[in-house]
Amino acid sequence: MSRKDLADHLSWLTTPKDFQSICQPPTPGLWRSYVRRSRCEEYTHFGAMAWTDLHDFTSLAPHVRIQHHTIVSLPALQRTLGLTDKDTWVHSDRQLYDWRLYQDPKEAKAVMSNGSNYVDSFTGRHYYKVMDLDPWQQRPERLLQLGGVFGSTRLVLRHPEHLALQRTIALALHYRRDTPLGTTVQAIVDHLGGVGTFLSLHFRTGDAPFRSQLGGNLETMIRTMAAMTGAPVMLPADTAPKDKNTATDRSLSFWRLSAIQSQPRFHLTPPRDLTSLPWADFCSGVPANRSIAMDSINARALVYIATDYENPRGNESRLLPWYDHFPCTVTLQDIPVSLLDGLDQVKDVVDPTKSLRSFLLPLVDAMVAAHAREILTTPRSTYSRYIASLNQAWVPRDPE
């Protein structure tokens, strides 16, 4: 979809209207029920929340002037600000990693001179433009709109006061927990035993780059968790392909799964009440006190996996080797549905008749994982890195 078409669709989806009437099922004699069909399909897969429902910006008020707009539309923003196209400059990224702004001009020149202005991503090496503040400060327009994604590395700051503000902004962008979303997460954390009483994974597998790395990431996580808990690793090296460097991820996954399947299998299904038997007779939470070692818990450790993998316990699941090592593993699918009822209070900011419950489940999943004593995250995932930062903020660390 082109930028122009995307802007048009977002404007239509976020401008308040009677969506229930417009997007009713196709009805003979009612032509608009057919004309709007494609956009209404988008409407059913689209949800909008206010920024302040996810983040508390109170700490930013003394430093940053913020206006909140529910309609995602540049013309609507211009009307609100009393601006025209002549007052507006829109920068469009030409690639995923398009530019990086350096506060120190000398540093910018050094980066250019040594040719280090690149990012190595899943799709290869991308060179970015090196910029400083002067070109933007000299622009005559009053509104500068900078589009793009992956913004955490866009600004290379050096002034202490600006670095401090950057940290304040990063903290303000943590998910808030004093909302129906937060209380739902807390209820699930309590169901698991409380903050810091379990271990977790934030395991991304859906997008193509992570799907192709699934086997290798899974083995790394198994070995890392085994080292934490003292659990045995049932991945015999002598059954591995001789040349791992040239083996495909698919063949490695087959080797791992075959090696595991040759071992005795002991799987548990998490009960509605995790204090009931036989679950509680075998599975064990971990000490929230980090001064107490976990290396004697072994395979009994309670683990929560936040993942986009569909049906992780299914017969054909590529995650089965995990369950063979750590049978006391819980996913969001194992959580009593009643604990999610609080999400029904969260409504779409554009169409208050629409519940956002289904849209919020991935956030609940990730936030629960962030309350673990230790969390293992997916390599090279920016969202996993964000969830790890929540874990650092939310789970008490022992004083050094």
Side-chain angles (χ1 to χ4, degrees):
M1 184 180 295
S2 68
R3 179 189 178 96
K4 181 179 179 181
D5 288 341
L6 178 61
D8 177 65
H9 285 228
L10 286 175
S11 177
W12 189 83
L13 289 167
T14 57
T15 299
K17 55 180 68 69
D18 186 2
F19 285 101
Q20 296 301 313
S21 296
I22 296 172
C23 292
Q24 61 184 287
T27 306
L30 191 62
W31 64 271
R32 70 182 182 187
S33 67
Y34 294 90
V35 172
R36 293 292 188 186
R37 208 167 166 186
S38 62
R39 286 197 170 184
C40 287
E41 180 66 17
E42 293 175 353
Y43 160 76
T44 62
H45 295 92
F46 180 85
M49 290 183 70
W51 276 88
T52 49
D53 286 338
L54 284 178
H55 311 288
D56 184 358
F57 291 148
T58 304
S59 61
L60 301 183
H63 312 287
V64 182
R65 289 184 294 173
I66 300 175
Q67 286 191 12
H68 296 280
H69 298 265
T70 57
I71 301 177
V72 182
S73 165
L74 180 58
L77 176 61
Q78 290 173 320
R79 287 193 296 272
T80 301
L81 299 177
L83 302 175
T84 66
D85 287 343
K86 292 183 178 180
D87 303 312
T88 307
W89 179 69
V90 179
H91 174 82
S92 299
D93 285 0
R94 295 186 178 182
Q95 62 176 8
L96 191 58
Y97 303 94
D98 192 63
W99 57 269
R100 191 170 290 185
L101 186 146
Y102 288 79
Q103 190 170 42
D104 184 352
K106 293 181 179 179
E107 185 177 4
K109 290 180 180 178
V111 169
M112 286 297 294
S113 63
N114 61 30
S116 60
N117 58 315
Y118 61 83
V119 174
D120 288 324
S121 73
F122 286 117
T123 57
R125 177 163 293 184
H126 297 271
Y127 284 86
Y128 56 81
K129 304 181 190 72
V130 174
M131 308 177 72
D132 58 31
L133 283 171
D134 287 344
W136 288 349
Q137 289 177 329
Q138 293 172 9
R139 295 204 67 89
E141 298 87 357
R142 298 166 59 195
L143 173 62
L144 308 183
Q145 186 182 65
L146 308 177
V149 294
F150 299 113
S152 60
T153 60
R154 292 289 181 113
L155 304 181
V156 183
L157 304 176
R158 291 293 176 258
H159 295 176
E161 65 274 21
H162 295 155
L163 290 170
L165 177 57
Q166 189 178 51
R167 287 191 291 270
T168 300
I169 293 173
L171 290 174
L173 289 175
H174 284 175
Y175 292 140
R176 61 189 304 173
R177 295 183 287 173
D178 57 346
T179 63
L181 172 62
T183 55
T184 298
V185 170
Q186 186 60 56
I188 297 173
V189 171
D190 291 342
H191 171 76
L192 294 172
V195 177
T197 63
F198 57 96
L199 304 171
S200 74
L201 276 65
H202 187 258
F203 195 10
R204 293 191 61 186
T205 66
D207 294 340
F210 302 114
R211 192 163 55 247
S212 67
Q213 300 293 321
L214 190 156
N217 288 341
L218 178 61
E219 181 186 1
T220 299
M221 289 180 171
I222 288 174
R223 293 190 182 281
T224 304
M225 187 65 72
M228 285 184 187
T229 60
V233 178
M234 298 180 292
L235 295 173
D238 56 356
T239 64
K242 293 182 179 180
D243 187 357
K244 291 188 180 182
N245 294 324
T246 59
T248 64
D249 181 71
R250 183 178 298 274
S251 68
L252 285 175
S253 297
F254 177 78
W255 154 64
R256 294 180 185 112
L257 188 56
S258 300
I260 294 300
Q261 288 175 334
S262 66
Q263 304 293 329
R265 304 182 71 179
F266 175 59
H267 283 183
L268 289 171
T269 300
R272 181 179 177 84
D273 179 0
L274 296 183
T275 63
S276 62
L277 302 177
W279 178 273
D281 198 36
F282 179 79
C283 300
S284 173
V286 302
N289 186 340
R290 290 172 179 271
S291 65
I292 302 176
M294 301 185 295
D295 55 5
S296 62
I297 295 179
N298 298 313
R300 298 180 298 110
L302 177 61
V303 181
Y304 183 88
I305 296 184
T307 183
D308 51 3
Y309 194 95
E310 188 175 350
N311 193 16
R313 273 199 184 83
N315 291 334
E316 302 299 322
S317 171
R318 296 176 66 190
L319 303 193
L320 287 181
W322 177 270
Y323 290 96
D324 288 304
H325 283 85
F326 302 101
C328 300
T329 293
V330 178
T331 67
L332 191 61
Q333 297 174 6
D334 304 314
I335 299 300
V337 176
S338 60
L339 295 182
L340 299 170
D341 289 345
L343 299 179
D344 292 329
Q345 303 175 45
V346 187
K347 304 296 184 180
D348 189 287
V349 71
V350 180
D351 179 9
T353 66
K354 181 196 291 188
S355 170
L356 293 183
R357 177 172 176 148
S358 61
F359 295 91
L360 295 175
L361 293 179
L363 275 68
V364 170
D365 204 18
M367 291 173 70
V368 170
H371 285 82
R373 169 168 163 171
E374 301 291 346
I375 181 171
L376 305 183
T377 56
T378 308
R380 303 182 73 172
S381 166
T382 53
Y383 190 54
S384 265
R385 189 161 63 244
Y386 169 74
I387 299 306
S389 74
L390 298 183
N391 176 257
Q392 291 287 324
W394 292 348
V395 180
R397 261 58 185 170
D398 296 331
E400 296 181 357

